[in-house]
Amino acid sequence: MKESVAERYAETKLSLQKYYENLVKLEISDPEKFHKVSYLGIKRSKHEEIQKEIEDAPCVDTIGQVGIFDDGIPFYHYRRAAFTKEGNRRLAEFGVKLKQSRFDPTEDRQIKRNWKSYCKLTNLFDPSEASEVFCDGQKRGKRVAKDPYFYAYLCRGLVDRTCAQVVRRVYILFNKAQEAGDDREWTESEDIMLKKLAKKHNNKWATIGRKLNRTRFTCYHRYTKLQKDEKVKSCCLTATEDNNGLNIENDHSENENLKTKSTSRSRYCKNTNSLITVLEELLKAEEESLRDKIKIVKFREWFTKRHALTEYDEAKKNLMCRQLQDVLKLCEAYRLFECLPIEHCNCYSKLEFVHYFLTNKKDKGSRTAKAMEDLFLKYVDDKTWTPRNRVLLCHKLDITPDKENTESGQIKKIQDASKERHLLDEDQNGYEENQIEKEENQDKENGEQVEEGQEEAQVENSDNEQRKNKNSKRKRSKTKEKREKKQEEEQLSQENEAQQTDKLPKVSENQRRINSKRIKPQKETQENREGPFEENRENHVEELHRELVEELHHESPEGPKNEKGTRKRSKTQTKKQENNVERPESNEEPTNKKKNKKEKQKEPEEERQVDEETQEKADDCLIIKTEQEIEFDTQPTYSSYNNSNYDQEGYNDSYSSPSSKSRGKNKSTRASNTNGNQRGDQRYTSDNEEEEIDPDSIIRNLLISVD
DNA sequence: GCTTATAGGCCGCGAACATG
DNA sequence: CATGTTCGCGGCCTATAAGC
């Protein structure tokens, strides 16, 4: 029985295995490289040398229990439960850092794409019925799909997310409420309905949400807000009845107090001198303890309580804290601290670097990736340290140099490669000859198909693509050097093509191993399958593979279309996206708010400019980031600092509220079985409230450095 | 700087599923 | 069939982003 299930869904597995088989594990010592380029868990780089490195690097072995893979699929994508110490270790060993931050639009798009292509692959669902599948109330305990790889497929490409995270996101993403606009304003009638439904359904927010076409979250929060308001109203009424004047006076005096306490921000703006002084004192006074810390939990609290800051008022402390956090965030976003030697990877070095940065920064563009990286390298150099290597996952599909600076050439190549692999595959599996013929026939047409496919994708992705093409054309005409370079690259790529056959056995051996391990499709199971799909099963896989290639090359093929045509995103996302889309076209910021925002985003924008410059330089580079990606990459969240690579567990410490602590007491009873939401199982060590050295991360770091 | 909105996380529950 | 495990859901908490 078990086998037949696996057989029935062998395509899903095969497709996933194919997806991951081109992964390359790369060690990078230069912090400048990959400083902020992470695409759906698959790293990319514009550096030609890195592209070359990736090209030359052997593919990661994904078969068996190797690295993060269990039989070709990341182990934490199989099911949403069970994330154990062993799991942590494997992640650490493989250099995978799980994201803890919110899903960004690129990730959302990837999930949507995964859903679509899953529907296409299996015919189990219609892509349009996502909201029905995920939103209309799953029967408790019943799986959405019997396919054991269903969730793994939805996780495809999201290497730095766990199944649990993706599943949760999926339920929100495909919620019908998103279509209607979950952020729409509440009307009075809705409020009344909400109150009624809350009573009727006994605060079952998901049910209520479905009835009101909103998510459970918005219903819950609206209801609590309404209740709060009512309480306030009734309180006010009773209070004013009791002793009107006194209350008013009290309120007034409190307001006055607040006013006098608050300090004008402008007083401190752009003045880092005091921060530098404070940092100096802090480093002197707390050197010992800071050297022991890898991360400071509850940073704000910690910072404001330091003895060195007693002379400053609260507002000033908060501002300095914010300044400090900003710099730390950037460092994390640029992954600079990952290059600190393991023995110096502590808070002292981090803060010392911040101090170094603040004292040595130039005024303009000081926070661009390049500038910060330069300073960081200088700092490391001054210390006579050797930067630690980082391990990153890259996708081979991303980096093959292409001929005409069009992607078709590359896709062709990949297709050729996959064709060959596939044929070998078939041989191994003893597939029917006519199947192979079919494949061959199809592959003969590949070139045309690919071009067609590309055209389609270009239409879909017209803006970005056009920009890309325009850029590349313009650039090409600009310099002869670049042409020469290109010629060289052409030669290289020709050579590569010639070598491709040499390389193929590598991959195909990998594939062979997949085949030897995976359950071979048999006639019985074929009969079980649905007709139309069955005939084109392998074509499907190939097609999907092709899609994947296109996806990877077109960055966000469905992005604009999706947003436009289908569901409305969450407020934040929509706005972010709007910003992203609009910015390239017009630099004007119509409103004051936007101006403020602009000020806030000054650094990231500066950075973006630099990025564009580098983009210019990276003429022939296959991967040109879209504005969107750049935008998101340059907007690091504090969580990225909080949940830095050095301690996955730190996050849980930040939950050190009494409630979570008491909850934590019985976590051992829960241990690793039920609800193995990764978080639950990661929390072995959080005893120290303030700070904590994460043993896992140390091991990880050691592994990375030793590796 | 404060408030509000958003969404991810934790954990318990009950039902379905898997296993022996 | 009994038992253990997994899954989906729900309620709540909380960090963080966005808005004012």
Side-chain angles (χ1 to χ4, degrees):
Chain A
M1 282 303 284
K2 193 185 171 186
E3 274 188 3
S4 71
V5 172
E7 280 170 15
R8 208 177 307 152
Y9 299 102
E11 281 76 26
T12 326
K13 193 179 185 185
L14 177 60
S15 177
L16 281 169
Q17 286 172 330
K18 278 204 167 190
Y19 185 92
Y20 290 111
E21 73 181 10
N22 282 311
L23 271 190
V24 168
K25 197 173 161 190
L26 208 63
E27 255 190 47
I28 290 165
S29 54
D30 183 354
E32 193 178 337
K33 296 174 183 176
F34 287 110
H35 63 270
K36 60 192 171 103
V37 263
S38 168
Y39 177 68
L40 307 171
I42 293 162
K43 316 293 174 200
R44 8 177 73 196
S45 174
K46 296 174 216 159
H47 292 255
E48 284 171 23
E49 31 176 324
I50 302 179
Q51 288 184 32
K52 189 80 178 63
E53 274 180 53
I54 297 170
E55 174 74 2
D56 294 341
C59 285
V60 164
D61 196 355
T62 58
I63 304 306
Q65 286 216 340
V66 185
I68 56 165
F69 294 97
D70 274 357
D71 216 8
I73 301 168
F75 72 89
Y76 48 96
H77 283 177
Y78 273 102
R79 56 179 70 89
R80 62 183 222 166
F83 207 81
T84 58
K85 257 189 176 175
E86 171 65 11
N88 276 326
R89 191 197 59 77
R90 287 178 72 179
L91 281 179
E93 203 171 334
F94 207 72
V96 170
K97 180 183 137 192
L98 289 175
K99 266 195 195 175
Q100 308 288 346
S101 54
R102 293 176 187 198
F103 277 77
D104 62 38
T106 41
E107 290 176 303
D108 287 344
R109 278 199 297 277
Q110 179 65 17
I111 292 174
K112 285 176 185 172
R113 270 197 296 260
N114 288 346
W115 163 251
K116 277 182 191 168
S117 62
Y118 182 80
C119 294
K120 206 174 171 185
L121 175 70
T122 62
N123 282 335
L124 284 174
F125 306 102
D126 189 83
S128 59
E129 65 180 14
S131 54
E132 281 82 14
V133 173
F134 294 106
C135 171
D136 277 357
Q138 288 297 312
K139 212 180 173 187
R140 265 195 167 193
K142 200 175 181 184
R143 287 173 166 226
V144 172
K146 287 192 175 179
D147 187 348
Y149 309 109
F150 176 63
Y151 284 138
Y153 203 92
L154 290 179
C155 297
R156 199 183 64 159
L158 302 165
V159 179
D160 38 19
R161 295 284 186 184
T162 65
C163 185
Q165 286 175 304
V166 172
V167 167
R168 209 178 176 82
R169 184 65 194 151
V170 162
Y171 276 87
I172 294 162
L173 205 58
F174 291 125
N175 198 303
K176 274 179 181 169
Q178 304 288 357
E179 289 171 32
D182 200 31
D183 56 342
R184 68 185 188 273
E185 274 187 20
W186 285 82
T187 60
E188 270 184 40
S189 57
E190 274 184 314
D191 282 343
I192 296 164
M193 271 288 279
L194 176 67
K195 283 176 191 170
K196 274 185 187 173
L197 288 170
K199 274 186 185 174
K200 191 182 171 187
H201 295 284
N202 201 22
N203 293 2
K204 288 189 173 175
W205 301 114
T207 317
I208 297 162
R210 274 195 288 277
K211 300 232 171 188
L212 291 171
N213 207 15
R214 291 181 182 272
T215 61
R216 63 192 181 103
F217 309 109
T218 45
C219 292
Y220 169 72
H221 284 290
R222 182 64 183 174
Y223 188 72
T224 48
K225 205 201 160 212
L226 285 175
Q227 284 203 321
K228 231 185 191 178
D229 289 350
E230 273 180 12
K231 269 187 186 176
V232 170
K233 266 186 191 175
S234 59
C235 277
C236 282
L237 279 171
T238 49
T240 43
E241 276 166 16
D242 288 348
N243 48 0
N244 202 352
L246 189 69
N247 264 309
I248 289 168
E249 242 183 70
N250 281 345
D251 286 352
H252 191 67
S253 58
E254 265 178 33
N255 283 338
E256 282 299 306
N257 270 339
L258 281 172
K259 271 180 194 172
T260 49
K261 271 183 187 174
S262 64
T263 320
S264 167
R265 286 172 82 189
S266 56
R267 228 175 87 193
Y268 299 122
C269 270
K270 292 179 182 177
N271 178 9
T272 50
N273 291 341
S274 47
L275 182 59
I276 292 169
T277 324
V278 160
L279 269 178
E280 262 170 23
E281 287 173 32
L282 213 56
L283 288 167
K284 249 187 223 172
E286 313 236 356
E287 176 170 357
E288 218 170 287
S289 68
L290 283 172
R291 285 200 192 277
D292 287 341
K293 289 173 192 166
I294 286 174
K295 198 200 114 187
I296 297 162
V297 182
K298 292 187 177 178
F299 186 84
R300 197 188 179 101
E301 206 177 286
W302 174 85
F303 182 79
T304 48
K305 280 181 183 169
R306 292 306 95 187
H307 188 68
L309 279 90
T310 42
E311 58 181 285
Y312 299 96
D313 65 19
E314 285 302 309
K316 177 67 180 170
K317 277 193 231 176
N318 284 338
L319 280 165
M320 286 194 294
C321 180
R322 189 180 284 191
Q323 285 176 322
L324 196 50
Q325 282 180 325
D326 281 349
V327 182
L328 287 168
K329 266 192 269 178
L330 280 175
C331 292
E332 289 289 348
Y334 302 153
R335 307 184 69 155
L336 299 180
F337 293 149
E338 287 175 42
C339 301
L340 281 171
I342 183 73
E343 65 274 23
H344 299 294
C345 187
N346 51 43
C347 288
Y348 185 83
S349 304
K350 289 176 186 178
L351 290 175
E352 198 184 37
F353 169 66
V354 175
H355 180 262
Y356 183 87
F357 167 76
L358 292 173
T359 44
N360 292 292
K361 72 181 166 76
K362 293 164 197 167
D363 285 342
K364 276 190 178 178
S366 61
R367 293 185 181 213
T368 61
K370 185 81 181 71
M372 287 195 79
E373 285 153 6
D374 285 347
L375 271 178
F376 181 78
L377 285 179
K378 242 184 171 182
Y379 168 76
V380 173
D381 199 47
D382 284 357
K383 294 270 175 187
T384 63
W385 294 342
T386 323
R388 181 157 49 103
N389 285 4
R390 290 171 296 168
V391 179
L392 293 160
L393 283 178
C394 317
H395 210 290
K396 274 225 168 185
L397 294 172
D398 272 343
I399 43 72
T400 320
D402 59 346
K403 268 187 176 181
E404 295 296 322
N405 201 26
T406 64
E407 284 146 10
S408 58
Q410 171 152 9
I411 294 167
K412 267 186 203 170
K413 248 201 287 179
I414 291 155
Q415 297 245 318
D416 288 345
S418 74
K419 178 185 83 181
E420 294 235 22
R421 253 178 275 151
H422 204 70
L423 291 176
L424 278 163
D425 237 18
E426 311 289 24
D427 281 334
Q428 281 285 318
N429 283 319
Y431 258 113
E432 294 94 344
E433 281 180 349
N434 56 359
Q435 277 269 10
I436 299 170
E437 278 171 19
K438 268 186 198 172
E439 281 292 318
E440 280 175 340
N441 287 335
Q442 206 205 345
D443 286 327
K444 275 175 194 171
E445 294 161 16
N446 258 353
E448 292 162 31
Q449 282 177 359
V450 164
E451 275 163 15
E452 280 170 26
Q454 203 195 344
E455 271 174 31
E456 280 172 29
Q458 275 178 348
V459 171
E460 280 178 16
N461 198 17
S462 55
D463 280 356
N464 287 333
E465 284 304 312
Q466 277 172 15
R467 212 182 311 139
K468 277 187 206 173
N469 289 336
K470 272 182 191 174
N471 280 344
S472 58
K473 276 179 192 173
R474 195 180 54 205
K475 287 167 216 155
R476 238 179 280 162
S477 62
K478 266 186 180 176
T479 58
K480 285 179 184 177
E481 283 177 21
K482 283 177 183 172
R483 276 187 195 170
E484 283 169 14
K485 255 189 190 175
K486 197 170 283 176
Q487 280 173 357
E488 278 174 26
E489 280 206 3
E490 275 180 31
Q491 282 178 355
L492 260 175
S493 64
Q494 279 169 3
E495 282 170 23
N496 281 336
E497 271 183 49
Q499 286 169 2
Q500 195 81 32
T501 40
D502 294 336
K503 279 189 178 176
L504 278 172
K506 267 189 203 170
V507 187
S508 45
E509 193 171 344
N510 208 356
Q511 188 59 39
R512 243 176 267 145
R513 294 185 59 192
I514 292 176
N515 295 331
S516 65
K517 287 226 172 190
R518 77 161 190 252
I519 302 127
K520 292 173 188 175
Q522 288 164 6
K523 282 177 185 175
E524 288 170 27
T525 54
Q526 285 171 8
E527 280 162 18
N528 290 339
R529 288 194 200 103
E530 287 163 23
F533 173 64
E534 179 46 37
E535 278 183 22
N536 298 315
R537 183 185 58 232
E538 289 300 323
N539 292 352
H540 260 83
V541 176
E542 276 303 308
E543 213 173 286
L544 282 159
H545 193 63
R546 202 179 309 139
E547 269 176 25
L548 151 72
V549 174
E550 281 165 19
E551 281 168 22
L552 282 165
H553 289 296
H554 293 298
E555 304 262 344
S556 54
E558 295 166 292
K561 198 183 172 189
N562 255 359
E563 298 335 311
K564 206 177 165 186
T566 60
R567 57 192 66 79
K568 199 178 170 185
R569 281 191 179 281
S570 67
K571 221 178 190 176
T572 52
Q573 285 171 354
T574 324
K575 292 202 172 167
K576 271 188 184 177
Q577 288 216 328
E578 276 168 14
N579 285 343
N580 296 332
V581 174
E582 281 166 20
R583 215 166 286 172
E585 263 85 55
S586 65
N587 291 326
E588 315 119 35
E589 300 278 341
T591 61
N592 284 335
K593 281 177 206 167
K594 279 192 177 177
K595 273 182 188 174
N596 287 337
K597 239 187 176 179
K598 205 181 173 183
E599 275 181 337
K600 277 184 192 171
Q601 292 176 345
K602 208 177 173 183
E603 281 95 18
E605 274 200 359
E606 280 167 5
E607 230 222 280
R608 188 165 57 84
Q609 284 165 10
V610 173
D611 225 71
E612 279 165 0
E613 281 168 27
T614 49
Q615 207 167 301
E616 295 259 340
K617 285 174 196 166
D619 181 22
D620 290 345
C621 176
L622 174 69
I623 304 123
I624 299 171
K625 294 180 81 182
T626 61
E627 298 296 327
Q628 257 178 18
E629 274 185 279
I630 291 161
E631 179 71 19
F632 286 107
D633 285 340
T634 53
Q635 288 188 331
T637 58
Y638 181 59
S639 64
S640 68
Y641 177 62
N642 252 350
N643 312 309
S644 69
N645 41 326
Y646 304 118
D647 66 348
Q648 297 277 346
E649 295 170 10
Y651 185 86
N652 296 304
D653 289 346
S654 63
Y655 270 85
S656 56
S657 63
S659 60
S660 68
K661 268 193 160 181
S662 61
R663 263 186 247 144
K665 278 177 189 170
N666 49 7
K667 66 197 165 194
S668 58
T669 57
R670 295 180 62 78
S672 59
N673 53 2
T674 55
N675 267 337
N677 200 332
Q678 55 159 63
R679 299 244 144 266
D681 296 326
Q682 277 182 352
R683 306 177 306 158
Y684 319 109
T685 53
S686 20
D687 288 322
N688 191 342
E689 254 202 44
E690 193 178 296
E691 79 246 25
E692 176 192 335
I693 298 168
D694 171 15
D696 271 2
S697 63
I698 293 169
I699 293 165
R700 187 182 327 156
N701 288 334
L702 280 170
L703 283 165
I704 290 166
S705 56
V706 167
D707 195 23

